[in-house]
Amino acid sequence: EHNTSSSVNVPGTASPAEPAPMLAAGINLRLYVIDCGYMDMREWTDFETFYGMRKDQVELAAQANPCFLVVHDKGALVWDAGFSDSTSATPIIDEHGVTVKMPNKLKAQLQDAGHPVETIDVFAISHLHFDHLGNLPYFSNAKILVQQSEIDAAFSERNRNNPAYKREYITPLLEFPGLLPLQGDYDVFGDGSVLLIPAPGHTPGSQIMLISLKEYGPVLISGDALHFSEELKLRVTPMFHESPEQANKT
């Protein structure tokens, strides 16, 4: 297990949230899915090693890499930052041997939705792996919500050479004035409509987001807690989870 005894201290750490109040009936809440890249693993030779399943056991050996925009009466929140907007619009093979592309750019999509990057109030991060932080600099003036345990994991000696934690991506985060490390559940807007909940396993400080939409009910944004629905059907656990035991509990 990850040892958090050498915590990376960040001023303003948030304490665990009090139980969320009942959701107010008059809240206006909208959820947008943003295209933040695409990974095609059909030709990737390490698929079975990493996921514990053969390619022919999944419907499609590929993944979208979405971000999300949540618009609330009290402000706009972006969840995750995907691949960098500098990623090629046409397919290329990345350093890990996976074919990636990003034909639609995050900045342009937020602009089209009427919420330019400079107007985003809150940036919440599922975890600190590079493919969720590609456009992090856009949100340097927003309130940044990430679990303290995830910051600790990213800077731990254990993960010093972990290619998923790119220090050049993560280190600037510590200087962002709005960084608010979390210590558990967090009610983003104070009304129970958008909750951040720890979900360790994939990484020690992974978190998920629970959104309560008026017409559709609760929507759970799971980050990398689950990559393929077949993981549940076949009861397999990808080997790249830092704690398979915690991942299964999550």
Side-chain angles (χ1 to χ4, degrees):
E1 292 185 357
H2 173 60
N3 183 354
T4 58
S5 60
S6 56
S7 174
V8 177
N9 294 317
V10 180
T13 301
S15 299
E18 294 295 322
M22 292 297 291
L23 186 61
I27 292 172
N28 293 311
L29 194 65
R30 286 171 286 162
L31 173 64
Y32 300 78
V33 182
I34 306 294
D35 180 3
C36 283
Y38 184 76
M39 294 169 282
D40 187 338
M41 295 174 280
R42 288 175 294 181
E43 303 299 324
W44 188 35
T45 57
D46 290 330
F47 181 90
E48 185 174 349
T49 300
F50 272 72
Y51 285 100
M53 302 177 288
R54 301 187 311 274
K55 295 174 191 175
D56 63 4
Q57 291 180 293
V58 298
E59 184 175 353
L60 180 65
Q63 294 174 5
N65 189 26
C67 304
F68 295 86
L69 169 65
V70 179
V71 180
H72 185 282
D73 291 337
K74 294 182 180 179
L77 173 151
V78 167
W79 169 267
D80 280 351
F83 292 136
S84 168
D85 276 357
S86 63
T87 303
S88 173
T90 56
I92 59 170
I93 298 176
D94 72 2
E95 61 192 277
H96 308 287
V98 175
T99 300
V100 302
K101 65 178 180 178
M102 190 172 177
N104 303 304
K105 308 305 181 182
L106 174 61
K107 187 174 185 179
Q109 291 176 86
L110 290 176
Q111 181 76 38
D112 290 345
H115 295 275
V117 292
E118 61 271 14
T119 68
I120 298 302
D121 302 288
V122 181
F123 177 57
I125 311 171
S126 62
H127 61 294
L128 294 175
H129 283 175
F130 74 94
D131 52 332
H132 297 259
L133 292 180
N135 291 303
L136 176 63
Y138 288 156
F139 308 108
S140 59
N141 292 316
K143 179 191 285 189
I144 311 291
L145 302 177
V146 60
Q147 294 292 327
Q148 176 68 58
S149 55
E150 183 65 4
I151 297 173
D152 294 344
F155 288 96
S156 67
E157 187 61 31
R158 170 181 174 176
N159 284 315
R160 175 175 293 276
N161 297 314
N162 185 338
Y165 284 120
K166 292 188 176 181
R167 295 284 175 92
E168 65 269 26
Y169 278 45
I170 304 169
T171 301
L173 180 68
L174 300 180
E175 303 301 322
F176 287 5
L179 177 61
L180 184 63
L182 306 179
Q183 301 279 5
D185 294 357
Y186 187 76
D187 185 349
V188 177
F189 296 109
D191 55 19
S193 63
V194 181
L195 303 176
L196 302 182
I197 304 167
H202 180 62
T203 67
S206 286
Q207 60 183 355
I208 57 180
M209 180 168 64
L210 180 62
I211 306 167
S212 297
L213 296 175
K214 189 181 301 182
E215 295 184 12
Y216 294 95
V219 177
L220 186 66
I221 310 298
S222 61
D224 277 358
L226 191 70
H227 297 84
F228 294 97
S229 61
E230 288 86 358
E231 293 170 30
L232 296 176
K233 296 174 184 176
L234 300 175
R235 298 185 179 275
V236 298
T237 303
M239 59 78 61
F240 51 78
H241 288 322
E242 285 207 43
S243 172
E245 182 180 358
Q246 283 189 320
N248 286 334
K249 289 180 179 178
T250 291

